[in-house]
């Protein structure tokens, strides 16, 4: 069985990047027994379709646009996802559902499951998760590990890097930390 975890989203828009942070967090903090690939899918959209055709199990880590409290975590198998018309609010959500619709008519395609968390803020242009999503992040990871276990992949903890460490490693900043402004000539506050 070929299995893949795909973290999708955009780290430039706060909680929209949770799937990217989660996929990198898994790579940095766990080893896995079994056939598993982990990738950061970003906002690749339709370019991810080959994974739906080449793998047996695809687990997508993402935000979900479901009316509920921020931080709530949902497991959405592809057949359930296809029935949720209101799910499609962000560009990559639309593309994921459209890809599922296309591959569902093919004879061979992966079992696709989305593990999604309801975001608090996907509008602000800032790298880093909101406090609410940070508080639920570990549970999001534990649900992913539980999903992997259900398909025969065992996770072994090897490190304890935080989501902040992951953000710093990916981008060099997390919620504005480690950014420094270059002063202009009129700026007298810098010496």
């Amino acid at each position: 069985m070929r299995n893949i975890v795909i973290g999708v989203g955009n780290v430039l828009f706060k909680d929209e990047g949770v799937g990217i942070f989660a996929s990198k967090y898994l790579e940095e903090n766990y080893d896995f027994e079994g056939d598993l690939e982990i990738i950061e899918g970003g906002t690749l959209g339709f370019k991810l379709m080959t994974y739906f055709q080449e793998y047996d199990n695809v687990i997508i880590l993402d935000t979900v646009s479901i009316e509920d409290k921020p931080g709530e975590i949902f497991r959405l198998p592809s057949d359930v996802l296809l029935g949720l018309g209101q799910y499609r609010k962000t560009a990559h959500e639309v593309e994921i559902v459209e890809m599922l619709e296309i591959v569902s008519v093919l004879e061979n395609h992966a079992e696709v499951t989305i593990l999604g968390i309801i975001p608090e803020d996907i509008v602000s242009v800032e790298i880093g998760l909101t406090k609410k999503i940070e508080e639920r992040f570990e549970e999001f990871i534990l649900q992913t590990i539980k999903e992997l276990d259900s398909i025969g992949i065992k996770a072994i903890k090897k490190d304890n890097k935080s989501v902040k460490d992951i953000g710093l490693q990916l981008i060099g900043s997390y919620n504005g930390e480690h950014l420094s402004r270059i002063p202009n000539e009129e700026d007298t506050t810098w010496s």
Side-chain angles (χ1 to χ4, degrees), residues 62-186:
D62 197 3
T63 58
V64 289
S65 299
I66 295 175
E67 295 301 321
D68 206 328
K69 296 183 302 196
E72 292 299 309
I73 300 167
F74 287 84
R75 179 187 184 275
L76 302 168
S78 58
D79 57 333
V80 170
L81 187 62
L82 288 171
L84 290 176
Q86 296 303 312
Y87 165 75
R88 313 167 197 206
K89 289 189 178 174
T90 66
H92 67 271
E93 288 175 347
V94 170
E95 290 174 334
I96 288 170
V97 173
E98 288 176 351
M99 284 187 290
L100 287 172
E101 289 169 344
I102 291 167
V103 298
S104 69
V105 299
L106 302 175
E107 189 173 317
N108 294 320
H109 59 86
E111 284 294 318
V112 179
T113 302
I114 294 191
L115 291 177
I117 189 167
I118 297 177
E120 185 171 43
D121 182 354
I122 58 172
V123 177
S124 299
V125 181
E126 187 177 351
I127 296 165
L129 304 175
T130 60
K131 197 70 163 162
K132 176 56 113 178
I133 302 307
E134 274 187 9
E135 290 168 359
R136 298 286 291 156
F137 188 80
E138 191 63 34
E139 181 61 29
F140 188 54
I141 294 298
L142 292 175
Q143 289 301 319
T144 304
I145 290 169
K146 182 178 174 183
E147 186 68 27
L148 289 168
D149 189 57
S150 77
I151 59 172
I153 304 294
K154 182 178 165 107
I156 301 125
K157 187 92 170 190
K158 67 177 181 182
D159 207 339
N160 199 28
K161 291 183 181 174
S162 69
V163 67
K164 179 181 173 180
D165 293 337
I166 301 300
L168 291 171
Q169 186 177 338
L170 279 171
I171 310 297
S173 178
Y174 189 79
N175 283 328
E177 294 178 15
H178 302 296
L179 294 178
S180 57
R181 183 171 60 90
I182 299 173
N184 61 38
E185 291 176 16
E186 293 97 32

